[in-house]
Amino acid sequence: MNLYELTVNDTEKIAIQDLFFSPENNAVLEQTIKEHRYINELKKYNLQVDNKILLHGHSGCGKTTTAKAIATALNKEIIIVNLSTIINARIGETSKNVKALFDKAARENAVLFLDEFDQIAKSRENDDKDVAEMKRLVNTIIQLIDYFPANCLLICATNFYNSIDSALLRRFQIKLNFEMPNKSQLDLYYDKILNEFPIHFQDIKRKYGISYAEVKDYVNTTMKGLIIAELEVLQKQF
């Protein structure tokens, strides 16, 4: 299997200021970005930059978007791993695939983004029939992380923080929790995305208690219906 098949082709650029998350997460990410911008200056004082980030929490709350925004802010390519193809029935093949992607990120001075990290990083204490094979895979990942170059970034995301092996968790200098947005946070997000549409379409019923991704899907579906309905009315008039 070649490297192209192991990755997702996604070139979307996202500005860090367009992200919606807590002030605490925002402060940590701003510090991390600044560290990498001044990495050479910090090296003069033997100061190591933080380059291993774990994003965890609810699905649809901005983990993938955050990884893209970090890459954009640092003008780095992002390698998004397709875990559906990287996981092989033979655990040795999976380890080989993972190593190939770490090597690619190191060569290209890139951001390596592993979504659904729990699929390849489960605790070695789990009691299942594949525990021996999983232990070998986790050991491989630990070694790859330990030798990952400081000028690259490893960003992993999971919805199942507690299933990650404890030795792997210790290797992430930064762990950011993504919680479900509250009403005021969602209103800000609604305002931003609705502002892209004509004003007579913007007064839609707002749903709450859902993720940012669900809001985006809801607005997109609603807007398509409103626009099509308006076009059909105009066609009938002519």
Side-chain angles (χ1 to χ4, degrees):
M1 185 173 293
N2 60 49
L3 288 175
Y4 181 79
E5 294 175 313
L6 298 176
T7 58
V8 176
N9 184 21
D10 190 332
T11 59
E12 182 183 18
K13 302 294 183 182
I14 297 175
I16 199 80
Q17 60 267 24
D18 290 337
L19 295 181
F20 288 79
F21 43 45
S22 69
E24 294 79 12
N25 284 0
N26 186 61
V28 172
L29 290 176
E30 283 189 356
Q31 170 70 15
T32 304
I33 290 168
K34 288 178 181 178
E35 286 183 14
H36 282 268
R37 285 175 176 165
Y38 296 103
I39 186 171
N40 292 327
E41 288 77 6
L42 294 174
K43 281 182 179 178
K44 295 176 183 177
Y45 297 93
N46 294 319
L47 294 172
Q48 299 297 315
V49 299
D50 292 339
N51 70 329
K52 303 174 187 75
I53 305 171
L54 180 65
L55 312 177
H56 61 96
H58 287 278
S59 176
C61 290
K63 295 188 291 294
T64 300
T65 305
T66 297
K68 293 178 184 178
I70 293 172
T72 300
L74 294 173
N75 196 29
K76 290 179 178 289
E77 294 297 321
I78 184 168
I79 300 168
I80 301 177
V81 176
N82 185 352
L83 281 179
S84 65
T85 58
I86 197 174
I87 297 175
N88 193 283
R90 294 183 299 157
I91 205 73
E93 189 68 23
T94 300
S95 296
K96 179 181 176 182
N97 290 339
V98 173
K99 184 179 185 303
L101 290 164
F102 271 78
D103 290 344
K104 175 179 172 64
R107 286 194 309 270
E108 299 179 3
N109 185 27
V111 173
L112 178 61
F113 179 56
L114 303 177
D115 198 4
E116 299 182 24
F117 186 53
D118 47 278
Q119 290 195 33
I120 60 171
K122 292 179 181 178
S123 173
R124 289 168 290 180
E125 297 177 359
N126 286 344
D127 183 22
D128 62 55
K129 63 181 180 180
D130 297 323
V131 67
E133 289 81 0
M134 183 57 66
K135 282 183 178 179
R136 286 194 287 271
L137 175 57
V138 171
N139 287 337
T140 296
I141 297 172
I142 287 173
Q143 293 175 359
L144 291 170
I145 291 177
D146 284 345
Y147 292 99
F148 198 59
N151 59 311
C152 304
L153 284 96
L154 172 66
I155 304 177
C156 299
T158 180
N159 300 336
F160 304 99
Y161 181 90
N162 292 329
S163 70
I164 304 296
D165 190 88
S166 59
L168 280 169
L169 288 176
R170 289 196 299 271
R171 281 161 167 80
F172 291 93
Q173 304 111 330
I174 299 173
K175 305 179 186 72
L176 299 181
N177 183 28
F178 285 69
E179 299 179 342
M180 288 287 283
N182 57 36
K183 184 177 183 296
S184 61
Q185 290 171 325
L186 284 179
D187 276 331
L188 289 173
Y189 189 60
Y190 272 114
D191 291 343
K192 177 182 181 295
I193 58 178
L194 288 172
N195 192 52
E196 299 176 4
F197 298 96
I199 193 167
H200 63 285
F201 286 148
Q202 294 181 18
D203 189 24
I204 65 171
K205 180 181 179 182
R206 298 187 175 192
K207 293 183 178 180
Y208 298 98
I210 59 179
S211 69
Y212 291 120
E214 290 172 314
V215 168
K216 185 176 182 179
D217 289 341
Y218 166 63
V219 170
N220 285 346
T221 299
T222 302
M223 287 301 159
K224 285 185 286 187
L226 291 173
I227 292 169
I228 290 171
E230 183 177 76
L231 291 172
E232 289 179 336
V233 170
L234 290 174
Q235 286 179 348
K236 290 178 180 179
Q237 291 176 352
F238 295 97

